[in-house]
Amino acid sequence: MSSPADVVSKAAPQKKVYPFWLGGVAATIAASITHPLDLTKVRLQATGDKGMIQSIKKTVRTAGYRGLLDGISGTWMRQMSYSVCRFWAYDEAKKFLNAGPQSPAWKLALAGSMAGGIAGVIGNPGEIVMVRMQGDMAKPPEKRLNYKHCFDALFRMVREEGPSSLLRGVGPNVIRAILMNASQLASYDFFKAELLKTKYFDDNIYCHTVASFAAGTVATTVCSPADVLKSRIMSGSGAESKSTMEVIRRSFRNEGAMFMFKGWVPAWMRLQPTTMLIFITFEQLKNLVDWTRTLRKSD
């Protein structure tokens, strides 16, 4: 039976400093694996597809199995801007708030919200590029943007629509980023700390798996309304673009309040494994950093 000192030691290990980009690398690896599900989620939210299976079949029918990787360079751009920033900002916000593993949930959520606000702005151009590239092949041929890759998309947006196009949908995106980081990052830290207080878990992959599973479900539900709005606003260009309030009014009028949770199942099926992959990979990358540091000390 563990003593109270053992429990405290297990739940609150000594704080270590890791490279700021480690979380972004973990998120990029996870997003690459789950890209087909993310692609399907965006197309469900931004087009008239009626279900996840129908949307996947439509993608394969029109573009082949390679179509399931449409826009993956946009996904990489988004993760290496937004995710790098949010993991870094979350750590900095926790330092600013003096928040640790045993801090109350509200303090962790506040740190996550602060990180989300910063990352939502920094990552907005990459977010637009990702959404447009993922949704492009679902449009009629005459309405497609046909971006070659993420940098082509970025340059064409500035050239054809002006620099302000990089901030399209920034409001819903920042709101979603705040909700995502307050629910995903903070809830992972919270659930992990709670699990480590019990006698059943140690700080290992089993604990990371359970904590990330819970965090993924919380994050999907909390972020769904802002996620739907973001996809619908960002998928339009030029004359197709609509204001946030116009999109909300039209969606309420045509679909009712439940439009805010349209695509929840594919969103959960995408975000759940993504969340688990992010945190499990993140923890393993931290172990790798620890291992390399140990090797350097032994030399």
Side-chain angles (χ1 to χ4, degrees), residues 210-229:
V210 175
S212 59
F213 182 91
T217 301
V218 172
T220 303
T221 305
V222 170
C223 296
S224 183
D227 203 21
V228 172
L229 288 174

Side-chain angles (χ1 to χ4, degrees), residues 13-29:
Q14 185 178 0
K15 178 67 176 177
K16 298 178 182 178
V17 178
Y18 295 95
F20 74 93
W21 43 262
L22 214 59
V25 171
T28 302
I29 294 171

Side-chain angles (χ1 to χ4, degrees), residues 101-226:
Q102 302 308 311
S103 295
W106 69 264
K107 185 174 283 192
L108 295 172
L110 179 58
S113 298
M114 293 167 65
I118 297 169
V121 175
I122 299 298
N124 201 71
E127 194 84 30
I128 299 173
V129 168
M130 182 189 73
V131 169
R132 287 190 178 187
M133 292 185 72
Q134 288 180 351
D136 208 33
M137 290 303 294
K139 296 178 179 179
E142 66 276 8
K143 292 186 177 181
R144 291 175 188 169
L145 298 167
N146 295 315
Y147 295 138
K148 296 176 183 177
H149 46 71
C150 60
F151 296 109
D152 178 54
L154 206 62
F155 297 147
R156 280 182 53 191
M157 282 172 58
V158 174
R159 185 174 65 248
E160 297 169 8
E161 304 172 49
S164 62
S165 64
L166 300 178
L167 293 178
R168 175 168 292 132
V170 68
N173 191 44
V174 168
I175 292 172
R176 179 191 178 276
I178 290 172
L179 294 174
M180 173 62 73
N181 288 278
S183 57
Q184 188 190 59
L185 295 182
S187 64
Y188 174 76
D189 275 354
F190 173 78
F191 287 126
K192 179 182 174 182
E194 291 300 307
L195 290 171
L196 289 174
K197 291 177 183 177
T198 72
K199 64 181 180 180
Y200 304 106
F201 290 93
D202 292 305
D203 192 359
N204 55 30
I205 195 169
Y206 304 109
C207 176
H208 306 155
T209 299
V210 175
S212 59
F213 182 91
T217 301
V218 172
T220 303
T221 305
V222 170
C223 296
S224 183

Side-chain angles (χ1 to χ4, degrees), residues 35 39-40 42-44 46-49 55-72 129-148 235:
H35 180 78
L39 183 73
T40 302
V42 168
R43 290 179 176 176
L44 275 172
T47 69
D49 293 345
S55 183
I56 292 174
K57 287 181 177 179
K58 181 179 176 181
T59 297
V60 173
R61 184 174 66 251
T62 57
Y65 286 101
R66 290 183 62 182
L68 295 174
L69 295 178
D70 281 348
I72 195 166
V129 168
M130 182 189 73
V131 169
R132 287 190 178 187
M133 292 185 72
Q134 288 180 351
D136 208 33
M137 290 303 294
K139 296 178 179 179
E142 66 276 8
K143 292 186 177 181
R144 291 175 188 169
L145 298 167
N146 295 315
Y147 295 138
K148 296 176 183 177
S235 62

